[in-house]
């Protein structure tokens, strides 16, 4: 009888130690495997020379290292890279690397599609298929690190990871957390918890659980300063309205690696960019140490929104700055290859019709 091989990319240090215990091996094997796979990029067991021959044979027989498979890699004029990665026969996800002078940010997906149905997001229009496994999440970092390691002159290496690709990471907590632990593991990618950011549309119980179990940097996709407008743009708000979300953000600060939460606000002309809303936003955030990141809306198919004008964005920002908030406007990167925020689509074999997804999101 042959059972399915264990994918060793699914396991963080604790998971690997447990696995080795079940096959009668010592816990330090976990460190050796993590260094080979994640630090050296070596997943051929035959090359893992510090493992005994017997263990190598056993792992070859019953384990594997399976990362998503690269389908295409596109490079933007500004150097941004976008991968299309196959995760199973029907589904592909996207991942983006954004090189800047001082850092290299990898934007990683957490789900195939997304069930939250935010009105302005291309991923939402694709529907939702399934959660990604830990191997499929950390496997994205593995794929990018290997590519960048082989092209050190043209591309920087990964200094930051943002869980801002396709999907809502807090709806896939069990798989996302071990992947983030590997990002931070000294023997793997060694990123400090200030350099790993999880972005959420506002799943309150997930924010609380993250605070307890894996408090990385937190970004919240706010997009509106009152419930009526936010209910429209981010339907999850009907389940977790602003008062509850703000309270969860405040609780998070007790364990956060930063003294403030980052709030993202997509700029939609005539929808959420009235200057009165900037003042309302300043009032809303008065009780929460906050940094604000304004995101120029990136056009997507099937949505009537326009991006706010440059002038409106700078006036909106000015109001927030004068109210005392550090406010940045996100530079649009990679839009010539549809790699900008909210433009990631992959190839999603959706399981649920859009109206069913809406009700699911509202009751979660
Ligand atoms: N579900 C998580 C992770 C996705 S992060 C979250 O909502 O935070 C992707 C970011 O891009 C979010 O802030 C999202 O609201 C924003 N976004 C979505 N569509 C966009 C678009 N068309 N233009 C600009 N930003 C967009």
């Amino acid at each position: 009888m042959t059972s399915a091989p264990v994918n060793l990319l699914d396991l963080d240090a604790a998971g690997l130690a447990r696995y080795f215990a079940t096959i009668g091996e010592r816990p330090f094997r976990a460190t050796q495997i993590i260094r080979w796979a994640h630090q050296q990029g070596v997943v051929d067991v035959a090359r893992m020379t510090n493992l005994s021959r017997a263990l190598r044979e056993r792992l070859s027989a019953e384990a594997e290292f399976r990362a998503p498979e690269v389908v295409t890699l596109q490079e933007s004029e500004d150097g941004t890279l976008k991968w299309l990665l196959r995760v199973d026969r029907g589904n592909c996800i996207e991942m983006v690397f954004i090189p800047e002078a001082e850092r290299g940010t990898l934007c990683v997906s957490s789900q195939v599609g997304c069930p939250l149905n935010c009105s302005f997001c291309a991923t939402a229009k694709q529907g939702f298929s399934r959660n990604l496994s830990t191997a499929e999440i950390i496997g994205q970092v593995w794929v990018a690190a290997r590519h960048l390691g082989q092209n050190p002159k043209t591309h920087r290496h990964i200094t930051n990871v943002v869980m801002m690709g396709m999907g809502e990471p807090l709806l896939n907590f069990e798989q996302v957390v071990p992947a983030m632990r590997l990002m931070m593991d000294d023997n793997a990618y060694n990123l400090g918890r200030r350099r790993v950011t999880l972005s959420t549309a506002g799943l309150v119980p997930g924010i609380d659980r993250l605070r307890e179990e894996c408090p990385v940097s937190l970004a919240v996709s706010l997009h509106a300063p009152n419930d009526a407008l936010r209910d429209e743009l981010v339907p999850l708000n009907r389940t977790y309205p602003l008062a509850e979300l703000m309270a969860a953000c405040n609780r998070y600060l007790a364990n956060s690696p930063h003294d403030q939460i980052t709030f993202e606000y997509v700029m939609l002309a005539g929808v959420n960019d009235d200057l009165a809303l900037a003042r309302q936003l300043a009032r809303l955030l008065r009780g929460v140490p906050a940094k604000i990141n304004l995101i120029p809306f990136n056009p997507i198919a099937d949505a009537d929104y326009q991006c706010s004008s440059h002038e409106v964005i700078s006036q909106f920002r000015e109001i927030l700055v004068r109210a005392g908030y550090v406010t940045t406007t996100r530079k649009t990167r990679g839009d010539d290859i549809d790699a900008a925020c909210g433009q990631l689509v992959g190839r999603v074999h959706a399981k649920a019709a859009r109206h069913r997804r809406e009700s699911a999101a509202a009751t979660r």
Side-chain angles (χ1 to χ4, degrees), residues 107-108 110-111 114 116 118-123 163-170 198-202 219-223 230 234 264-268 295-300 305 330 340-344:
C107 179
V108 166
S110 58
Q111 298 184 307
C114 185
L116 290 185
C118 298
S119 62
F120 48 84
C121 179
T123 304
M163 299 301 305
M164 293 189 188
M166 298 167 66
E168 167 52 48
L170 292 180
L198 183 144
S199 181
T200 178
V220 173
S221 294
L222 199 60
H223 308 318
R230 195 162 191 270
V234 183
E264 295 154 291
Y265 195 102
V266 65
M267 297 300 297
L268 304 167
I295 315 178
F297 170 70
N298 296 302
I300 62 166
Y305 299 114
R330 190 174 290 175
C341 300
Q343 293 187 317
L344 302 187

Side-chain angles (χ1 to χ4, degrees), residues 275 278-279 281-283 286 292 294 311-328:
L275 299 184
R279 289 186 277 274
L281 178 60
R283 282 196 298 280
R286 199 152 288 156
I292 303 165
L294 302 178
E311 201 190 346
V312 166
I313 296 178
S314 73
Q315 288 168 351
F316 200 93
R317 178 173 171 271
E318 195 51 40
I319 289 172
L320 297 167
V321 169
R322 263 193 264 124
Y325 298 99
V326 173
T327 309
T328 51

Side-chain angles (χ1 to χ4, degrees), residues 7 179-180 231 233 270 318 348 359:
N7 188 353
M180 294 197 303
D231 283 351
L233 301 178
E318 195 51 40
V348 177
S359 48

Side-chain angles (χ1 to χ4, degrees), residues 195-307:
R195 294 183 176 276
V196 175
T197 300
L198 183 144
S199 181
T200 178
L203 202 79
V204 166
I207 293 173
D208 284 326
R209 204 172 156 201
L210 194 69
R211 182 192 75 228
E212 292 298 325
E213 296 182 31
C214 190
V216 296
S217 305
L218 185 68
V220 173
S221 294
L222 199 60
H223 308 318
N226 62 67
D227 284 320
L229 182 56
R230 195 162 191 270
D231 283 351
E232 292 300 308
L233 301 178
V234 183
L236 182 67
N237 194 67
R238 298 172 203 161
T239 313
Y240 303 110
L242 284 169
E244 286 179 35
L245 177 56
M246 292 301 129
C249 289
N250 259 322
R251 292 193 291 276
Y252 196 83
L253 284 164
N255 290 0
S256 168
H258 295 282
D259 298 336
Q260 79 279 315
I261 307 287
T262 299
F263 291 94
E264 295 154 291
Y265 195 102
V266 65
M267 297 300 297
L268 304 167
V271 175
N272 68 353
D273 66 348
D274 195 292
L275 299 184
L277 293 174
R279 289 186 277 274
Q280 195 176 32
L281 178 60
R283 282 196 298 280
L284 174 74
L285 296 180
R286 199 152 288 156
V288 191
K291 193 182 136 193
I292 303 165
N293 196 202
L294 302 178
I295 315 178
F297 170 70
N298 296 302
I300 62 166
D302 297 334
D304 286 337
Y305 299 114
Q306 306 287 323
C307 183

